[in-house]
Amino acid sequence: MNIILLGPPGAGKGTQAGRLVEKRDMIQLSTGDMLRAAKTSGTEMGKKVAEVMDRGELVTDEIVIGLIREQLEGDKKGGFIFDGFPRTLAQADALAALLEDCGETLDAVIEMQVNDEVLVDRIVNRAKEAVAAGGTARADDNEESLKVRLMAYYKQTSPLIGYYHAKGNLTAIDGLASMEEVEASISAILG
Ligand code: ADP
C-alpha cells in the first residue's frame, strides 16, 4: 500500500508517518528530510538548495523527483508513505509515472486539514522546544519563512487536492484532532 500525506507545513504529516513506519512497516519518504540531509552533508545539491529552503520556497521539481526516484528502487516493505511530496502538479504527474514504472499503485491520498493559526503556533512551538532542548531550530521555522511556506502551499501544493479528488483517491481528515484520533482516522482509511 502506497499513500500520500498531504497538508500544509505543521499539519502533522511527519508525526503520523513515523507511526505508520512503526505499526505497518512502511517506508517514510520525506523529501524535506532528504533535502535537510543533503544540506548538512554539504553535497553540491545540498549547497544549491540550502538558501531556497531557508527562505521557505520550493526547490526545483527536478531535484525532488530525482530524490524520490532513487528511493523507489529498493525494498518496498509495507509500502511507501510520501510525506511532503508531491508538492506541485508536475511532481504529482512524475510520481504517477514512477509508480507505474515499478508496477506500484497509489492507494490513498490523505489530506490533513488544519487552520493557519494552529500551524503558526505549532511551528513556533516546535522551534522553541528545539532550542529549549539544547538544539537548534530549523532554519525555516521562523515567522518570515513560515509565511513563504504557507503561501507556497496554497499556491503550488493545494491544487493537488482537486487533482487527487478528480482521480478518486482523496480523503480529508481533521488534522486538529489529537494525535491518537488522527492516527485512528488514517488507520480507518488504510483498512
Ligand atoms: P514542512 O512541511 O514543515 O514545510 P518539509 O520538511 O516537508 O517541511 O520541507 C522543508 C522544505 O524543503 C520546503 O519548504 C522546501 O523548501 C523543501 N521541500 C521539501 N519537499 C519538497 C518538494 N516536494 N518540492 C519542493 N521543495 C520541497
Side-chain angles (χ1 to χ4, degrees):
M1 163 147 332
N2 303 305
I3 68 166
I4 295 174
L5 295 182
L6 189 64
K13 304 182 295 286
T15 304
Q16 295 299 329
R19 296 191 169 201
L20 291 168
V21 168
E22 261 176 47
K23 302 225 162 120
R24 298 184 182 239
D25 197 31
M26 295 177 81
I27 300 172
Q28 177 184 9
L29 296 183
S30 159
T31 41
D33 287 349
M34 293 175 208
L35 291 166
R36 277 186 290 278
K39 237 176 91 173
T40 46
S41 67
T43 58
E44 274 312 304
M45 191 262 277
K47 284 181 206 155
K48 217 163 114 184
V49 300
E51 278 184 34
V52 177
M53 285 178 76
D54 292 354
R55 279 202 302 272
E57 292 164 13
L58 296 188
V59 310
T60 65
D61 289 334
E62 196 191 354
I63 287 178
V64 290
I65 292 165
L67 288 170
I68 290 288
R69 183 185 291 119
E70 284 171 22
Q71 301 294 319
L72 297 187
E73 284 159 8
D75 183 1
K76 296 178 177 59
K77 294 190 170 178
F80 298 111
I81 309 155
F82 297 98
D83 160 13
F85 178 92
R87 258 176 156 93
T88 63
L89 290 167
Q91 291 176 24
D93 281 335
L95 177 61
L98 287 172
L99 287 172
E100 196 182 336
D101 283 352
C102 59
E104 292 287 319
T105 51
L106 179 61
D107 303 293
V109 179
I110 300 174
E111 183 205 347
M112 301 177 65
Q113 294 182 326
V114 281
N115 68 44
D116 287 2
E117 270 167 56
V118 174
L119 297 178
V120 176
D121 284 352
R122 280 187 183 177
I123 290 176
V124 169
N125 279 334
R126 175 164 87 189
K128 280 189 194 148
E129 278 167 19
V131 174
T136 44
R138 261 172 57 172
D140 60 349
D141 273 355
N142 59 72
E143 226 165 297
E144 202 178 325
S145 303
L146 184 56
K147 269 191 206 150
V148 179
R149 281 156 66 200
L150 279 174
M151 189 54 85
Y153 178 77
Y154 290 114
K155 270 174 88 167
Q156 293 168 278
T157 308
S158 69
L160 298 184
I161 296 168
Y163 173 98
Y164 286 117
H165 174 70
K167 284 198 164 195
N169 44 12
L170 184 83
T171 311
I173 60 167
D174 178 11
L176 292 178
S178 70
M179 275 188 217
E180 284 67 31
E181 285 168 321
V182 174
E183 189 178 354
S185 311
I186 294 176
S187 203
I189 295 164
L190 303 189

